[in-house]
Amino acid sequence: PPHLTAKLDEIGNIDELLEVVLDLGRIPTARYVSGEVELSEHEVTRAELDVVVDNIGAFDADNRAGMERTLHRISAIRNRKGEVVGLTCRVGRAVYGTIDIIQDLVETGQSILMLGPPGVGKTTLLREAARVLADTKRVVIVDTSNEIGGDGDVPHPAVDKARRMQVSKPDRQHEVMIEAVENHNPEVIVIDEIGRELEAMAARTIAERGVQLIGTAHGNALDNLLLNPTLSDLIGGIQSVTLSDEEARRRGTQKTVLERRAPPTFDVLIEIQTRDRMIVHEDVAAAVDAILRDKGLAYEIRSRNEAGEIVVENAQPEIRAISERNNRDRTGTPERIAGGRNGSGRGERGRSRGDGDTSRVDIGTDGTKMKPVTVYAYGVARNRLYQGAKRLQVPLALTDDAGQ
């Protein structure tokens, strides 16, 4: 509506605008990176919603529509009669150069999965990856809701030479993925929002055929994907395994443990935290195994500073057990150090259990300083060692390296 357009022009800061929300009977709002702004004192009327609906393309089966040759997306909320009672108008932009932070990974030919919450810029990175790779490879985009290549039959110039296959219905996405490989001889398949089990299976099929796959999925971190029964197959899946008595003693675990079921579909996983900060797991198989076995998880942090320079840091191994998503310092983690005046222990984030941590000093019951005892456990349950250390009020650090 014209009065809302005028208000947006008055506010300015269009580069930070994420979306405009119009709900029937409510105040219209604009969502910026920094927060929400009300666009009018008056509630949205049905006539205003009709103005928007009449000037955009038809809504498809997933209630999404667009404007031809643009990257904008309009999503509808309907009532029980099928009438539109709300609109989310997402602003789509072709931001060139954003892929430089992970361009070296994209050009290796490895399959890459990008994780991140809605609105963090996953589709923008995907579009840029398709444009960059299309200069040297045959790239096919499977565009389910026309977010990557824009609405209409002619793809947006932002995807350059990449070819685009549209999907008639969202539940046919996996069929179009396989069709792209079988009919169009691609070297790279780009797919946005892998969210169903059939799509995860199709992605595995594509990867096994030697085609590079670059996709996105909703989730904050690798842990989320492991606990998602629909999408866990993308990183190999998990299954319960019963160990022999000897193996259980050697590991110091229970007899029933979680193990990775198969090789991951994707070789590299990128956790997009913000538009300028990402966590990279260059070996997904090793990362999943480390989480399942409560071992130190090493990863790479990539960020872009205020000067536009890319900074790469190698983070110290971190214990990230699958059951620790909300409580990193639960009792019994391999990184936990028991001891101290009250006998309680706290995990030191960012330090692997093999570090020894000889620099830490605790205070004993007699007031003397005590350094942690580094123990290599063989054939002894780790939880028993922690319990004994806690009872004796002795600081304890377990290691997997007998040389320490």
Side-chain angles (χ1 to χ4, degrees):
H3 69 285
L4 298 183
T5 303
K7 181 64 176 178
L8 288 171
D9 291 338
E10 178 184 335
I11 296 173
N13 199 22
I14 298 299
D15 291 339
E16 300 294 322
L17 179 63
L18 298 177
E19 57 192 15
V20 176
V21 177
L22 305 176
D23 287 330
L24 183 63
R26 292 186 175 181
I27 301 298
T29 60
R31 294 175 179 169
Y32 292 86
V33 174
S34 56
E36 291 192 8
V37 177
E38 294 185 353
L39 298 179
S40 174
E41 297 178 355
H42 304 288
E43 298 174 348
V44 176
T45 64
R46 187 169 295 278
E48 291 173 332
L49 291 178
D50 292 340
V51 169
V52 178
V53 173
D54 292 341
N55 285 278
I56 60 177
F59 288 99
D60 52 23
D62 59 354
N63 281 314
R64 291 180 175 183
M67 293 180 285
E68 193 164 349
R69 303 298 297 274
T70 73
L71 301 174
H72 307 311
R73 185 189 79 191
I74 296 90
S75 302
I77 299 176
R78 299 181 183 272
N79 60 16
R80 297 176 64 181
K81 299 179 181 178
E83 300 169 339
V84 176
V85 294
L87 293 172
T88 303
C89 307
R90 173 74 66 87
V91 179
R93 299 182 180 88
V95 185
Y96 297 97
T98 56
I99 196 66
D100 57 353
I101 194 169
I102 56 170
Q103 186 167 346
D104 59 321
L105 299 174
V106 171
E107 293 178 343
T108 59
Q110 294 179 297
S111 293
I112 299 174
L113 179 65
M114 303 180 195
L115 281 184
V120 79
K122 297 187 299 295
T123 304
T124 302
L125 278 173
L126 209 58
R127 188 183 303 117
E128 268 291 274
R131 181 186 67 82
V132 170
L133 290 177
D135 289 336
T136 56
K137 295 183 178 180
R138 299 184 299 274
V139 179
V140 173
I141 299 170
V142 178
D143 207 356
T144 307
S145 51
N146 289 350
E147 280 194 84
I148 303 176
D151 207 41
D153 295 332
V154 180
H156 192 276
V159 299
D160 200 22
K161 300 177 182 177
R163 304 180 73 188
R164 190 262 298 266
M165 294 183 66
Q166 299 187 51
V167 181
S168 57
K169 296 180 180 179
D171 55 9
R172 287 198 63 247
Q173 178 170 296
H174 65 284
E175 297 178 4
V176 178
M177 292 168 65
I178 300 298
E179 180 185 333
V181 177
E182 294 177 344
N183 294 350
H184 303 290
N185 192 29
E187 294 177 290
V188 183
I189 292 284
V190 175
I191 173 71
D192 196 12
E193 293 187 16
I194 300 174
R196 298 177 177 87
E197 188 173 1
L198 289 174
E199 295 160 12
M201 294 173 62
R204 177 170 291 278
T205 300
I206 292 172
E208 294 296 338
R209 297 187 186 190
V211 178
Q212 182 183 3
L213 185 64
I214 302 178
T216 66
H218 287 303
N220 293 323
L222 179 58
D223 311 58
N224 301 127
L225 215 54
L226 273 175
L227 296 171
N228 186 333
T230 304
L231 300 180
S232 62
D233 186 61
L234 296 175
I235 52 177
I238 56 177
Q239 63 182 357
S240 180
V241 175
T242 302
L243 304 176
S244 65
D245 292 340
E246 182 179 353
E247 180 66 13
R249 283 195 300 269
R250 188 185 69 81
R251 294 191 184 187
T253 63
Q254 298 177 348
K255 290 192 64 174
T256 302
V257 297
L258 294 176
E259 294 281 352
R260 179 166 49 85
R261 184 174 64 247
T265 300
F266 292 90
D267 306 304
V268 179
L269 186 139
I270 300 173
E271 301 173 7
I272 306 176
Q273 296 185 327
T274 66
R275 296 184 179 185
D276 296 319
R277 179 183 170 86
M278 304 173 189
I279 290 179
V280 177
H281 302 281
E282 293 196 42
D283 188 342
V284 174
V288 172
D289 291 343
I291 292 177
L292 294 178
R293 297 179 183 179
D294 288 2
K295 291 188 176 180
L297 176 61
Y299 53 86
E300 190 176 82
I301 300 175
R302 299 192 178 195
S303 58
R304 185 182 287 108
N305 59 24
E306 295 180 356
E309 301 171 338
I310 297 173
V311 180
V312 179
E313 306 172 50
N314 289 314
Q316 293 297 321
E318 174 192 20
I319 299 297
R320 286 173 63 173
I322 192 171
S323 57
E324 294 179 20
R325 294 168 58 217
N326 299 320
N327 184 9
R328 296 293 188 193
D329 299 327
R330 66 174 176 83
T331 302
T333 59
E335 195 180 33
R336 185 173 181 264
I337 298 180
R341 182 181 296 276
N342 57 6
S344 63
R346 293 188 179 181
E348 299 267 309
R349 182 171 182 175
R351 183 177 295 126
S352 72
R353 59 181 174 182
D355 287 347
D357 192 20
T358 55
S359 61
R360 172 170 172 158
V361 177
D362 285 18
I363 306 299
T365 54
D366 58 353
T368 59
K369 293 184 179 180
M370 301 174 62
K371 289 188 177 182
V373 177
T374 303
V375 176
Y376 174 75
Y378 181 81
V380 181
R382 292 172 179 266
N383 59 334
R384 294 290 181 88
L385 289 173
Y386 283 123
Q387 291 172 3
K390 181 178 179 179
R391 186 173 62 254
L392 297 173
Q393 298 185 4
V394 176
L396 173 68
L398 295 186
T399 179
D400 285 335
D401 186 0
Q404 293 188 356

